[in-house]
Every structure is written in C-alpha cells, then in structure tokens.
Amino acid sequence: MSAGPRPSTPVLVIGHRGACGYRPEHTRSAYELAIALGADAIEPDIVATKDGELVLRHENEISGTTDVARHPEFADRRTTKTIDGVRLTGWFTEDFTWAELATLRAVERLPELRQHSATFDGLDPILRLRDLLEILDAAGRPMTLVAEVKHPTHFASIGLPLDELVAAELGRWRHPERLVVECFERGLLHRMRDRGVAARYVYLIEDGGHAPDTAVAYDAEVAGELRALDVDGISVGKPRLFRSPELVDRAHDAGMLAFTWTLRPENRFLAPAHRGSGSKADWGDWMAEYRAAIATGVDGIFVDHPDLGVAARERAE
C-alpha cells in the first residue's frame, strides 16, 4: 500500500462527472469544461454494454441521463431489474451494444435544478472510457483520472467482469502516477490490484448500509482499524465527513488518502446552516461549506462546479 499525501498537500479538486453543474454529466463538453475551469482530476463512472464496451454513465440505468425514451426502436428494452438490492425500471446499458448506445444523446439529470445545463440536452453522445483517456491526454497539462467502477457484483453476475474489462483498458493508459480507482466494493479494488493495474485504490463508503459484496456494515468497517481495509484511501460522503471529521486524521495516520463527495452550491444540497433564502436551485453560502470541508484536511474534494472548488481552495490556503 502506498502512502497518501499529507494534509499539507493542496487539496485535489476533482471534477465530478466533469463539470456536471454546467453541462450534462459524463459528456465531452462536461469533461473539457472541467479541464478549462481548473480541475486537477476528472471522475467518470464506468459501466458496461452487452458487448463489453466500457461506457461512462452515472448508473447502468440510463433513462434519466439520455434520450433513450424518445427512441421507439428501443421501447422493448425497457425492463425492471434489481441492482444491488434496489428495484429499478428503465433502460440498462448491459442490454445494448455499443453501436446502439452510440445513437443516444445525453441529457441533464437534474433539469429542475440546473435549467441552464438542460439547454445543452441532446448535443453530446455517450462516451466510452477510451474516449475520456484521449481527452485527458489532449488536455495540455497533467490530469489525474479518478475512475469509479459501478456495480461490479451485478455485472459479474451477468458475465461482464468489470475488474477484467477495466484493468485491460486502464492498463493501456501510461500514467499510473495519475490514476486512482474507486469503488463501493473493496473486492473489486483488490482484484484489479491483483491484475497488476498500477493505481491508488480508494474505497467509497456510503453513509449507511453495507457494500454489495459484504454483509459488514460500512459503519463497522470505518470504526475498525483502517489499515485492515487494505486500500490506499477512503472516500466518504459529506454528511459522514462533517459528522466524523476525525476520519481524515485517522486515514492519514494509516498512510491513506481521504476524499469527500459531493460539494454542490445549490440550496438543495447544502447543509441547513449554509442554505440561502431562495429556491432549492438557488446557490447558498457554498463557499463556507466548501472551506469547512477543506479545513478537515481531506486530500480531495469532488465538485460539480470545478471553478468553485478552485476558488474555495484558494481562499483556504
């Protein structure tokens, strides 16, 4: 296990799904805008198609992030599945070939909150992981990739082993010093490491419940010896960070990274003390909340608006 940076290292500003506060998430325009706005890293979510292509979507269920419902030729693909214990109805990437998904266009996932972003609906196609790697290589400055692998237990159950598929793709990207792999399942992280992918491996920890590949509660895993997790870092949601800020010091004492997600400026997402008097879509005192997160000593913050993360980091220094 490699040691993570100490708290004195400037916090990494991670463009969450690109600059998804300004453009539909996981699109070329969202990724390129995040780079232009000063993000240090880009975070994609990785799922698979039925023919084993790795595509970038928040979830494998894509009705909320694409125009698939407007394609009558795919109407019969609508179905109901249980993914990691959650019953969902919609369209799923694993029921499409890459050639079919390439005909879809991305839409804003939160149009009621991000009406400006929704004006870009339909302009961008879905991207593959390999497309993002090309974008990063063309950025003109070193960019870190924080790759989140989604639902590996589910995909393995249908014959799509994401550890194998993602390892093969990332193994061709020659920047291991700028590669972080994240997942809500530690087993996936361990399997990818065993496959020889040089990266820092970070365990995503929900605010409650347990990972799909274990019956041990996240709370119990966090309460125990962090070194026993056998990963290079942990990444916790904002509520857990503010409830237990000592987690950051514990992670650093164990030689591990500590990230937090997701910092957003809209009143809907801010803690009550930081909300403004406007609507849920209006921005509150995001600067105070972002600076409070940075003050815990975290090594990285996931942000939907990279320029705001950069501004908060500058104010915190």
Side-chain angles (χ1 to χ4, degrees):
M1 183 178 70
S2 59
R6 304 307 301 163
S8 59
T9 303
V11 65
L12 197 72
V13 175
I14 305 165
H16 185 233
R17 308 171 197 161
C20 71
Y22 298 120
R23 297 290 189 275
E25 62 190 35
H26 294 311
T27 58
R28 177 175 293 273
S29 56
Y31 293 138
E32 291 181 342
L33 182 57
I35 293 168
L37 293 177
D40 305 303
I42 299 295
E43 182 261 1
D45 296 317
I46 302 170
V47 294
T49 66
K50 69 187 300 182
D51 52 348
E53 285 285 346
L54 298 173
V55 295
L56 308 180
R57 290 288 89 194
H58 172 48
E59 296 288 349
N60 56 327
E61 199 290 294
I62 56 172
S63 61
T65 61
T66 73
D67 63 355
V68 64
R70 301 175 189 172
H71 286 251
E73 68 273 25
F74 298 139
D76 62 349
R77 307 287 177 91
R78 189 172 187 267
T79 187
T80 298
K81 300 185 181 188
T82 299
I83 310 296
D84 294 345
V86 179
R87 191 169 173 82
L88 299 170
T89 297
W91 289 263
F92 298 81
T93 59
E94 62 265 30
D95 297 328
F96 293 79
T97 65
W98 164 242
E100 291 171 330
L101 285 184
T103 67
L104 305 181
R105 292 297 179 267
V107 300
E108 170 56 44
R109 188 172 61 90
L110 301 170
E112 72 284 359
L113 291 180
R114 295 174 172 171
Q115 296 180 22
H116 174 268
S117 177
T119 65
F120 294 90
D121 283 2
L123 298 183
D124 279 295
I126 292 176
L127 295 182
R128 297 165 297 178
L129 176 58
R130 66 183 64 180
D131 300 318
L132 175 56
L133 298 183
E134 291 176 358
I135 291 171
L136 297 180
D137 286 340
R141 60 185 174 89
M143 294 294 302
T144 293
L145 174 65
V146 182
E148 181 180 346
V149 183
K150 301 299 286 276
H151 308 301
T153 292
H154 165 71
F155 279 105
S157 74
I158 56 174
L160 291 166
L162 291 186
D163 57 312
E164 178 181 337
L165 296 172
V166 177
E169 192 72 55
L170 292 181
R172 292 192 284 266
W173 197 56
R174 302 303 182 189
H175 305 288
E177 76 284 358
R178 292 190 269 121
L179 177 59
V180 177
V181 178
E182 289 196 321
C183 189
F184 284 103
E185 300 182 28
R186 278 193 297 135
L188 178 282
L189 302 178
H190 296 161
R191 291 192 300 275
M192 284 192 59
R193 184 178 60 194
D194 291 344
R195 289 183 178 276
V197 178
R200 287 175 290 178
Y201 289 95
V202 173
Y203 185 31
L204 286 159
I205 296 172
E206 289 274 21
D207 201 43
H210 61 84
D213 62 343
T214 180
V216 180
Y218 285 117
D219 285 347
E221 291 185 303
V222 168
E225 172 56 58
L226 293 181
R227 286 189 182 89
L229 298 176
D230 192 23
V231 291
D232 298 306
I234 58 172
S235 185
V236 300
K238 184 182 65 174
R240 187 183 288 277
L241 175 72
F242 287 145
R243 187 172 67 247
S244 305
E246 73 281 355
L247 264 176
V248 176
D249 287 338
R250 288 180 56 211
H252 289 155
D253 288 343
M256 298 166 66
L257 293 161
F259 292 160
T260 192
W261 43 274
T262 303
L263 303 185
R264 298 172 166 126
E266 292 95 349
N267 281 325
R268 173 180 168 181
F269 301 115
L270 292 171
H274 297 138
R275 293 173 191 161
S277 58
S279 71
K280 292 181 179 180
D282 289 334
W283 291 9
D285 191 1
W286 59 268
M287 177 63 81
E289 183 153 300
Y290 288 28
R291 290 182 68 189
I294 293 171
T296 65
V298 290
D299 301 289
I301 54 173
F302 288 80
V303 295
D304 287 0
H305 306 74
D307 54 330
L308 304 189
V310 171
R313 177 175 63 190
E314 291 174 350
R315 287 282 299 274
E317 291 176 352

